[in-house]
Amino acid sequence: MKGGPALSIAANNGAGARDSHLRVVSEAPAHTSGIRLSGVSKTYRSRDGDVPSLRPLDFQINDGEFFVVVGPSGCGKSTLLKMISGLLPPSTGEILVDGEKVTKPHGNAGIVFQNALLLPWRTVLSNVMLPIDMKRLPRAEYLPRAKKLLEMVGLAGFENKLPWQLSGGMQQRASICRALVHDPKIMMMDEPFGALDAMTRERMNYELRRIQRETGKTILLITHSIPEAVFLADRVLVMTERPGSIAAIYDVPLGHDRSLDVMTSPAFADLVQRIRKHFFTQGALD
Ligand SMILES: Nc1ncnc2c1ncn2[C@@H]1O[C@H](COP(=O)(O)OP(=O)(O)O)[C@@H](O)[C@H]1O
Ligand SMILES: [Mg+2]
């Protein structure tokens, strides 16, 4: 299912993949799918001394899973994403993606940062095509896919506009297309909606959840918004304050296909409240 220009709607996920970690003991590590962290920590060395940012972490993200990391500012969320994407080496431990150790940026991930970071002199379509040009993949083959992605996020008709002619939300949607255009297996997003107004952000949450269901991508998304984490995730990893460690990992019992209405459900409120308690245990701020 890899490689073709057609949008792969049928997914690489499914119950089988989701159960795979249960069978891991009897399988060779090379066949382990998903993302696996073992004892991964980070201490930044600086002139003023060491800055411990992450304590050793152990967890796994399954194939086709929407996995969200939530935690307070400065707890090491971006550090974690940079290490998983191969942009930054861990101080200890190792990261495996589909059984292979991550030592450099890998080609099978698309990354979305907090700001859209579109090139101002390139049109929307040619911004989306940037990874294809950089990877020297055949343009003609991927152009229809780029257009289809833009259509999927509601940007049909804007292909030839320049970034400044789009709203912030539209630019961010274009940057999501850019992260998907080469059909990466994994999408990593670092607070992708932080700069958006509340209403656009909700729309983007809804659309991203839908895109993930349609494409079956594995998504790792980082946020400091607890409601956003609960709405989007199949599982939420809650981090402690810096140096970050795992406070808890929750399954989100809201079903696969979600409308924004789930945010008014008791199950949603209940989980938001449980996660919030990790940060306001004294009760002083809540
Ligand atoms: N290059 C760096 N050198 C030294 N300290 C850093 C560096 N990058 C991040 N840090 C520190 O590591 C901690 C975690 O940073 P970061 O991963 O950006 O947190 P978050 O994304 O959760 O806000 C912070 O305290 C930050 O000051
Ligand atoms: Mg950050």
Side-chain angles (χ1 to χ4, degrees), residues 2-189:
K2 173 95 191 82
L7 213 56
S8 33
I9 300 295
N12 57 359
N13 63 345
R18 206 147 289 185
D19 293 343
S20 61
H21 63 289
L22 299 175
R23 284 183 273 110
V24 131
V25 260
S26 59
E27 269 176 21
H31 296 118
T32 313
S33 61
I35 301 167
R36 178 180 287 263
L37 284 80
S38 324
V40 173
S41 75
K42 185 70 186 178
T43 297
Y44 288 101
R45 314 255 171 237
S46 79
R47 215 165 281 169
D48 312 324
D50 291 352
V51 184
S53 292
L54 283 173
R55 293 174 204 272
L57 305 178
D58 295 276
F59 66 92
Q60 160 148 5
I61 302 172
N62 300 313
D63 259 352
E65 182 170 45
F66 203 136
F67 192 89
V68 178
V69 175
V70 68
S73 182
C75 74
K77 302 183 295 300
S78 296
T79 300
L80 179 63
L81 184 132
K82 283 179 206 158
M83 290 195 296
I84 295 176
S85 62
L87 294 167
L88 189 72
S91 301
T92 66
E94 69 172 13
I95 301 166
L96 301 181
V97 174
D98 290 341
E100 265 182 51
K101 188 170 171 174
V102 175
T103 52
K104 56 175 169 35
H106 32 99
N108 55 359
I111 307 183
V112 179
F113 294 99
Q114 177 157 4
N115 296 309
L117 300 173
L118 301 177
L119 299 175
W121 60 87
R122 278 188 167 227
T123 64
V124 169
L125 182 61
S126 117
N127 264 289
V128 172
M129 288 291 286
L130 194 64
I132 305 304
D133 295 346
M134 287 175 65
K135 288 172 191 290
R136 294 168 202 267
L137 296 168
R139 281 197 124 241
E141 202 175 305
Y142 283 89
L143 207 57
R145 180 180 165 83
K147 289 181 180 164
K148 191 146 188 211
L149 283 165
L150 284 168
E151 196 183 306
M152 183 162 87
V153 301
L155 288 177
F158 290 87
E159 293 87 351
N160 297 317
K161 301 273 188 234
L162 290 165
W164 63 268
Q165 294 174 298
L166 270 58
S167 70
M170 292 161 98
Q171 290 180 24
Q172 196 58 299
R173 276 184 269 161
S175 79
I176 291 170
C177 295
R178 183 182 54 192
L180 283 169
V181 73
H182 56 295
D183 199 19
K185 218 182 133 204
I186 305 166
M187 197 141 84
M188 301 195 208
M189 311 177 84

Side-chain angles (χ1 to χ4, degrees), residues 157-233:
F158 290 87
E159 293 87 351
N160 297 317
K161 301 273 188 234
L162 290 165
W164 63 268
Q165 294 174 298
L166 270 58
S167 70
M170 292 161 98
Q171 290 180 24
Q172 196 58 299
R173 276 184 269 161
S175 79
I176 291 170
C177 295
R178 183 182 54 192
L180 283 169
V181 73
H182 56 295
D183 199 19
K185 218 182 133 204
I186 305 166
M187 197 141 84
M188 301 195 208
M189 311 177 84
D190 192 356
E191 308 210 17
F193 308 134
L196 304 181
D197 64 87
M199 271 183 277
T200 309
R201 189 168 182 155
E202 284 197 351
R203 271 244 334 265
M204 292 298 295
N205 283 175
Y206 172 76
E207 288 187 15
L208 183 62
R209 176 79 203 171
R210 186 181 57 78
I211 290 169
Q212 194 268 343
R213 295 301 304 158
E214 280 187 17
T215 60
K217 300 282 174 214
T218 306
I219 298 188
L220 165 62
L221 182 141
I222 282 168
T223 181
H224 57 236
S225 161
I226 298 172
E228 179 168 276
V230 173
F231 176 77
L232 288 173

